[in-house]
Amino acid sequence: QVQLVESGGGLVRPGESLRLSCITSGITFRAYWMYWVRRVPGKRLEWVSSINPGGTTEEYADSVKGRFTISRDNSRNQVYLEMRNLEPSDTAVYYCSTDQDTIMSQGIQVTVSP
């Protein structure tokens, strides 16, 4: 049974930071590209970041480039998203996934508000 569980979200002020974690089970984690995507109610799912199986290639949406950092620990079956200098436009439910177009988990709310 595939399970992905995110943690680390919350309410922060603009300019602050958060670190999201995603622990996975039921998959051969080290074989998968991993993705972070986000969704704002009423809007389309937005790809945020990707990382290759070996952790040597990272990709970012222009909206988060320079502020977010994706990483992974294949020994722990976990992927992370370090988010710095958060902006109100980053407010969304964040999901980790093995497919950038598919939600596979409950997600975690991130709210950035003064």
Side-chain angles (χ1 to χ4, degrees), residues 32-46:
Y32 283 89
W33 277 79
M34 292 299 299
Y35 302 86
W36 285 97
V37 297
R38 65 188 182 186
R39 185 164 65 185
V40 175
K43 294 191 176 181
R44 296 182 67 178
L45 193 66
E46 179 187 10

Side-chain angles (χ1 to χ4, degrees), residues 10 24 30 40 44 57 59 71 76-77 79 84 104-105 107:
T24 70
R30 65 182 180 277
V40 175
R44 296 182 67 178
T57 299
E59 299 169 337
S71 61
R76 296 176 181 265
N77 294 338
V79 61
R84 299 178 299 277
M104 305 174 67
S105 59

Side-chain angles (χ1 to χ4, degrees), residues 35-69:
Y35 302 86
W36 285 97
V37 297
R38 65 188 182 186
R39 185 164 65 185
V40 175
K43 294 191 176 181
R44 296 182 67 178
L45 193 66
E46 179 187 10
W47 167 75
V48 174
S49 184
S50 311
I51 188 166
N52 71 330
T56 57
T57 299
E58 303 165 23
E59 299 169 337
Y60 300 95
D62 287 343
S63 58
V64 306
K65 201 172 291 183
R67 300 187 298 119
F68 289 13
T69 302

